[in-house]
Amino acid sequence: MAEDLCIINGSKAEKYQTLLPQIKSLIEGENDLIANLANVSAALKETFGFFWVGFYLVKGEELILGRGVCGTAWAKAETLVVPDVDAFPGHIACSSLSRSEIVVPLIRENGEVWGVLDIDSENLNTFDETDARFLGEICSWL
């Protein structure tokens, strides 16, 4: 992959379709997990301008920062789309500016959840099934 991301002006799906091969190329052949997580975070933030993009990992029997939406997605092993974080019981605000959130679990082939991708937006109703589908695909590569 080139050092510059190719970011298009288009629909959300078109942006993901352009970004996915770039991310795949970026992480292909790279064995360092932290480098891959950092590069995926940066590519998503740069492409979509999300308020927060980060990964939280399981250490022992615990998800680091494993409460709120992240902890729930980890415990249920399913993607959670939260249109309004103020309406989510137990939401932990990393910032009062965060208004909506999506959390995608990182799942091994044996079904074990080893971490989550957490993305926040400053706007309500930012995330939908399109995000869940494409972000799930990205997470399956990690």
Side-chain angles (χ1 to χ4, degrees):
M1 177 176 155
E3 282 134 16
D4 295 326
L5 285 175
C6 174
I7 300 172
I8 64 163
N9 291 322
S11 70
K12 183 188 293 190
E14 291 169 330
K15 286 183 177 184
Y16 277 115
Q17 289 166 346
T18 300
L19 180 62
L20 262 62
Q22 296 179 82
I23 286 178
K24 193 167 208 171
S25 175
L26 183 64
I27 64 176
E28 217 166 52
E30 177 54 66
N31 294 323
D32 187 276
L33 176 63
I34 301 304
N36 286 334
L37 298 179
N39 286 331
V40 168
S41 295
L44 288 167
K45 182 149 178 56
E46 185 70 21
T47 298
F48 293 99
F50 295 133
F51 180 64
W52 166 258
V53 181
F55 289 91
Y56 299 108
L57 304 179
V58 174
K59 301 280 183 170
E61 299 293 318
E62 178 183 0
L63 177 71
I64 303 304
L65 299 178
R67 296 177 294 155
V69 181
C70 290
T72 304
W74 170 59
K76 291 184 173 187
E78 64 185 43
T79 297
L80 292 182
V81 175
V82 180
D84 179 355
V85 296
D86 291 334
F88 188 89
H91 174 257
I92 299 168
C94 59
S95 168
S96 61
L97 298 177
S98 178
R99 301 300 315 270
S100 61
E101 184 171 5
I102 185 169
V103 179
V104 182
L106 303 166
I107 304 175
R108 297 190 201 287
E109 289 181 13
N110 67 3
E112 175 192 6
V113 180
W114 59 274
V116 297
L117 167 60
D118 177 31
I119 304 178
D120 292 7
S121 172
E122 292 175 295
N123 302 307
L124 293 170
N125 300 305
T126 297
F127 306 104
D128 56 24
E129 181 54 39
T130 298
D131 299 287
R133 180 169 41 103
F134 286 109
L135 293 170
E137 184 173 347
I138 292 168
C139 287
S140 74
W141 300 338
L142 295 169

